[in-house]
Amino acid sequence: MIDIEKKDPQGLDRMTAKQRPFSKVNYYMMGGCLALIVLGFILMSGGGSSVENGFNPEIFSTRRIVVGPTLSFLGFLLMAFAIIYKPKSKE
C-alpha cells in the first residue's frame, strides 16, 4: 500500500504532489492569464478630456474598444482552461 500522507515533524500533515489540486504548470498558466487580463485593462484605460465638458475622440480608438477587451476576454477564457488543465503524469 502506498503511504499517501507524510507526517511533518511538527505534527502537520503534508500533501504529496499527486494530492495537490494544481501543479506548477497550472500556476504558470494562471499567472500568464492574469498578466493578459491586466494588460487588456491597461490598454482600455486612458485619460479623459482635458477640457471640462469637452469631448475627446480618443475614447473611440481601436486600442480601447477592440484590442483591450479582446485581450481581457481571452485572458478570462484561458484562465478557465488553466484551472481545468491536468498535466499528464509520468507514471
Side-chain angles (χ1 to χ4, degrees), residues 60-89:
F60 296 114
S61 70
T62 304
R63 175 183 58 95
R64 285 188 179 180
I65 63 172
V66 176
V67 178
T70 303
L71 285 178
S72 293
F73 182 68
L74 283 174
F76 283 115
L77 282 180
L78 292 174
M79 182 67 81
F81 176 76
I83 291 171
I84 294 171
Y85 180 74
K86 182 153 181 106
K88 294 181 181 180
S89 62

Side-chain angles (χ1 to χ4, degrees), residues 6-66:
K6 293 182 179 180
K7 296 288 183 182
D8 194 20
Q10 298 151 345
L12 300 174
D13 294 335
R14 298 283 181 188
M15 286 193 295
T16 61
K18 286 185 178 181
Q19 291 177 312
R20 293 188 186 123
F22 299 123
S23 66
K24 277 186 179 181
V25 175
N26 292 96
Y27 287 116
Y28 288 140
M29 290 171 64
M30 285 189 264
C33 292
L34 182 65
L36 198 61
I37 293 167
V38 169
L39 178 64
F41 275 94
I42 288 172
L43 290 176
M44 284 188 278
S45 70
S49 177
S50 59
V51 179
E52 188 175 324
N53 295 329
F55 175 73
N56 185 0
E58 181 64 23
I59 63 170
F60 296 114
S61 70
T62 304
R63 175 183 58 95
R64 285 188 179 180
I65 63 172
V66 176

